[in-house]
Amino acid sequence: MERREPSVARQVLLLQVLVVLVLVVTSLALATLDARRDARSNATERAVGVASTLADSPTLVAALATDTPSATIQPYAERVRADAEVDFITVMSLELIRYSHPDPEQIGKRFVGEVGNAREGEVFTQEYDGTLGPSMRAVVPVRDAGGTVVALVSVGITVASIDRSLRDDLALIAVSALLVLLAGLLGAWLVSRRLKRQTHGMGEREMTRMYEYYSAVLHAVREGLLLLDHDGRVQLVNDEARRLLDLPDDVIGRRFDDLGLAPGLVLAAQGLTTQSDDLYLAGDRLLLVSSAPAAWEGRAVGAVVTLRDHTELRAVTGELDVVRGLTESLRSQTHEAANRLHTIVSLIEMGRAEEAVDFATEELQIAQLLTDRVVGAVGDPVVAALLLGKTSEAVERGIDLTITGELPEGVEVPARDLVTVLGNLVDNAFDAVVEQPVRRVGVRLEVAGDAVRIVVGDSGPGLSEEDAARALERGWSTKASAGDPGGLGAGRGVGLALVGQVAKSHGGAVSVGRSDLGGAEFAVTLRAARVVSS
């Protein structure tokens, strides 16, 4: 079994502990050297101070003028040595013969060590290994009343004494270093603990592989992918999502509701409304949106949103719906033709041939008149077939459908877009009047300059100002059902959104108002169109 690599948090902890140890040990060594240097410097300064004070003493100068200087100088120097806490005080002649020494047996003997230029009246300091061992010593001249150098005073502090006092200082330094070490280790542990939570205990190679796979998958999938945090800010977006939503380059970190997208799409993306393959309009695209809350170890971290372009598929589906409508119209017409044929046969069997001929001729003239009128008004055969189918459907549902104006051949608007607009508006008008006592729907076709205008009105209940303002939003519909009282079920509210999309793609607009028939009226203008002369 492959051994699992140490986590990034553990590696960082070990590195931090190593760094803290190196810093503390280095600091302790430097502090020790500095303390040792300072201790010896301070000892030298103290020796110079004691020696200078003793050299200026009148008692010492007076004793040097007597026949037995040691009798006075030795006890006096020992008292000063004890009070000043130095290791030795030696008073000597200019010939370096001792008048005093901590060891009385050394009195009268020659001073061991150098005196430098102290005989010339200057202060001399050195570290020297004398009779008491290595010491830091100072030699100061003694002057008489006339300023003549008559003797020398040497004061020393042994290195052993200096090291004993240094050990006390080093103990304090060691305690401080230990406290710093413990504080550093505690800080490293806290940082490691936080890092472990943030990296989920993964190692660096594991994190590298995860990032590489994540980046590869992110750019390879053909669906748009968005990740939002719990504050609704975009944390991840792939190339397809940028294309579908026309997102700016600096979208990462921005709030999703500040990007100018449709409110319904924003709510779906933020996970406030759970969505699974629902349709939303974004610019001139119809998107299939799925969203789900994202969680890690039971903690909500945001939402995951997937986007698929449904524009082309929806257009093809709309054309299929038109074909289905035409098929249904043909079915109803076939049924009606069969009834009429039975009527004609029955009249012939009853010996009333003339009445059978009149009946057949009249029905044929009515059907031909309707066909001629529609085909004459609409040059595009697909749109004409749609209106003929809607006319048959209107007859079957008991609706009075009137078609006025004309849409001549050569209008540079794709038949697919015209079918989308007319099909959805007429279907909505039929649904609006089907339960009304007066069922009337009017379609008006106009071409003016570079614009095609399609107006569909009905005798239904109409729309309030609030409903009219929301009519083109995806998800808005007045077609409520028992299980969908708000009219927001799957597939509802998409038709008008598609109409708005077609109008926008042709540089036009959709307006909602009150029809002369008493209900709602939708007027669609498709610009950048012109009539081609035949």
Side-chain angles (χ1 to χ4, degrees), residues 172-425:
L172 180 60
I173 293 174
V175 171
S176 301
L178 181 60
L179 293 176
V180 171
L181 177 62
L182 292 176
L185 294 178
L186 178 61
W189 178 75
L190 292 175
V191 171
S192 174
R193 185 181 178 187
R194 177 176 177 81
L195 183 61
K196 184 176 182 180
R197 287 199 307 268
Q198 293 179 333
T199 59
H200 306 297
M202 294 186 292
E204 77 275 11
R205 286 196 297 270
E206 191 176 2
M207 293 178 66
T208 300
R209 286 195 302 269
M210 179 176 291
Y211 176 78
E212 290 173 348
Y213 295 157
Y214 136 80
S215 181
V217 171
L218 181 66
H219 295 288
V221 294
R222 300 301 301 271
E223 294 183 355
L225 182 63
L226 281 167
L227 289 184
L228 308 179
D229 62 16
H230 57 276
D231 293 327
R233 298 184 182 277
V234 179
Q235 298 299 324
L236 183 151
V237 57
N238 68 351
D239 300 336
E240 183 67 5
R242 290 179 184 272
R243 184 185 71 82
L244 293 177
L245 298 179
D246 195 20
L247 298 176
D249 294 335
D250 60 345
V251 66
I252 301 298
R254 294 179 58 180
R255 291 187 60 85
F256 194 68
D257 52 6
D258 292 339
L259 299 177
L261 300 174
L265 178 59
V266 171
L267 290 176
Q270 290 177 336
L272 302 180
T273 56
T274 302
Q275 300 290 334
S276 178
D277 289 344
D278 210 351
L279 291 171
Y280 288 89
L281 194 65
D284 58 351
R285 296 185 179 93
L286 195 64
L287 304 180
L288 199 62
V289 179
S290 294
S291 66
W296 178 268
E297 296 181 350
R299 178 174 57 90
V301 296
V304 180
V305 184
T306 58
L307 309 167
R308 282 176 285 171
D309 195 346
H310 206 62
T311 307
E312 293 297 324
L313 181 59
R314 189 66 189 182
V316 173
T317 303
E319 293 181 359
L320 180 59
D321 290 339
V322 171
V323 173
R324 287 175 178 172
L326 292 175
T327 302
E328 185 64 24
S329 298
L330 291 175
R331 184 200 60 77
S332 62
Q333 289 178 4
T334 301
H335 180 70
E336 186 66 22
N339 290 335
R340 294 169 182 170
L341 183 59
H342 285 305
T343 302
I344 294 172
V345 171
S346 298
L347 288 173
I348 293 175
E349 290 177 349
M350 293 169 58
R352 306 180 71 170
E354 293 183 2
E355 294 181 6
V357 173
D358 292 339
F359 178 78
T361 303
E362 180 182 0
E363 291 299 323
L364 181 60
Q365 289 177 345
I366 293 175
Q368 187 62 44
L369 180 62
L370 176 61
T371 301
D372 292 342
R373 185 177 62 181
V374 172
V375 172
V378 179
D380 192 294
V382 176
V383 178
L386 171 69
L387 292 177
L388 284 174
K390 294 302 179 184
T391 301
S392 299
E393 181 182 352
V395 172
E396 186 176 359
R397 299 174 66 176
I399 299 173
D400 180 12
L401 174 62
T402 59
I403 302 173
T404 59
E406 63 178 355
L407 195 62
E409 184 177 0
V411 172
E412 289 192 341
V413 176
R416 173 184 294 182
D417 294 341
L418 294 174
V419 166
T420 297
V421 174
L422 277 169
N424 282 290
L425 292 183

Side-chain angles (χ1 to χ4, degrees), residues 424-453:
N424 282 290
L425 292 183
V426 173
D427 284 343
N428 286 347
F430 283 177
D431 291 336
V433 303
V434 70
E435 307 227 349
Q436 300 297 315
V438 178
R439 304 174 184 176
R440 298 179 62 192
V441 174
V443 177
R444 188 167 71 251
L445 307 174
E446 300 174 353
V447 176
D450 63 345
V452 173
R453 180 176 170 85

Side-chain angles (χ1 to χ4, degrees), residues 35 118 140 156-157 167 180 213 317 367 381 415 449 479:
V140 177
I157 302 175
R167 281 194 292 270
V180 171
Y213 295 157
T317 303
K479 303 172 186 178

